[in-house]
Amino acid sequence: MRILLINPNTTPAVTDLVAAHAGALAPPGVRIDAVTGRFGARYISSRAAAAVAGHAALDALAEHGADQDAVCLACFGDPGLLALKEMSPVPVVGMAEASCQAAAGLADRFAIVTGGVLWGPMLTEFVAALGLSDRLSGVHTVAPTGGEIARDPDGALDMLARACRDAAAAGAGAVVLGGAALAGLAGRIADRVPVPVLCSTGTAVEATIRAAAARSGPVARRAPPVEAIGLSQALTRALG
């Protein structure tokens, strides 16, 4: 089984971090093919950066999607997720999508903790689009972006644990620690939080492997051909 892991920001170190975490979780026989966005923001922390990242994710799928069994969009907030699902011949699972659905399965109400203050309204809207607004107790952000946390994860642990405890105190029965750059940190703070803390990377990878195992054939293309200019050759062919 092959899983294409797309990191649509342009920081290879984040791709390496997520790929290492995914590889440690993957059972024997599962290969993780991780790719980094070819253009765009170093780390996604605004609507503009997320919009560009959606294009970068489609570009990566067009370039690297052949012979894959499923796709994991490894960016919390899932930029371009619906477009990827529309274009991909195999299942596509988003990191935020999978994590929110898993948290809703664990508790009546869940919260999200992530880095970067602009993600608060963006993720609130994302959860609403999933139809889970009534299950979300809140989005709790810390000031450093995920990219900054990735450069000093040890220094962020106390801050993240405190935010998770605040989320639990506000009524969350489970907390999603969201962000590709935060891969693996949930396990390091779980014993400091009175409710389950989900690692968004681990949750997404496990959901993607399940989706790949469950599929019985190619996914039907859901959109008519698109005539386009100025895109990569691979993406132009994929859209057309």
Side-chain angles (χ1 to χ4, degrees):
M1 178 188 295
R2 293 179 64 182
I3 301 296
L4 178 63
L5 190 152
I6 298 175
N7 169 26
N9 69 46
T10 56
T11 301
V14 173
T15 306
D16 293 343
L17 172 67
V18 178
H21 197 63
L25 293 170
V30 175
R31 170 176 158 180
I32 305 294
D33 296 324
V35 298
T36 305
R38 190 170 58 85
F39 52 83
R42 289 298 184 192
Y43 196 85
I44 299 156
S45 57
S46 69
R47 293 181 190 275
V52 175
H55 178 186
L58 290 169
D59 181 80
L61 175 66
E63 187 68 36
H64 303 283
D67 301 320
Q68 299 289 336
D69 295 295
V71 177
C72 179
L73 179 58
C75 173
F76 203 76
D78 297 351
L81 176 63
L82 296 183
L84 288 167
K85 289 186 175 187
E86 181 181 84
M87 193 174 83
S88 175
V90 297
V92 179
V93 174
M95 180 178 282
E97 171 193 53
S99 298
C100 290
Q101 290 171 346
L106 281 177
D108 290 337
R109 305 196 75 202
F110 68 94
I112 296 170
V113 169
T114 193
V117 294
L118 294 183
W119 275 113
M122 293 163 64
L123 289 172
T124 300
E125 293 165 11
F126 178 85
V127 173
L130 291 178
L132 294 173
S133 286
D134 60 337
R135 308 290 297 280
L136 180 69
S137 66
V139 178
H140 301 252
T141 61
V142 297
T145 65
E148 292 167 336
I149 291 171
R151 289 192 290 271
D152 183 20
D154 292 342
L157 293 178
D158 288 344
M159 182 191 315
L160 293 171
R162 185 165 54 250
C164 289
R165 288 194 297 270
D166 290 345
V175 178
V176 174
L177 191 61
L182 279 61
L185 298 188
R188 298 181 63 185
I189 64 172
D191 61 352
R192 304 194 220 172
V193 183
V195 298
V197 181
L198 281 70
C199 172
S200 59
T201 294
T203 303
V205 170
E206 291 167 357
T208 306
I209 292 172
R210 289 196 301 270
R215 81 180 182 101
S216 57
V219 176
R221 185 184 176 101
R222 304 174 206 179
V226 174
E227 185 176 352
I229 61 171
L231 304 177
S232 69
Q233 291 183 357
L235 184 53
T236 300
R237 286 193 301 270
L239 291 173

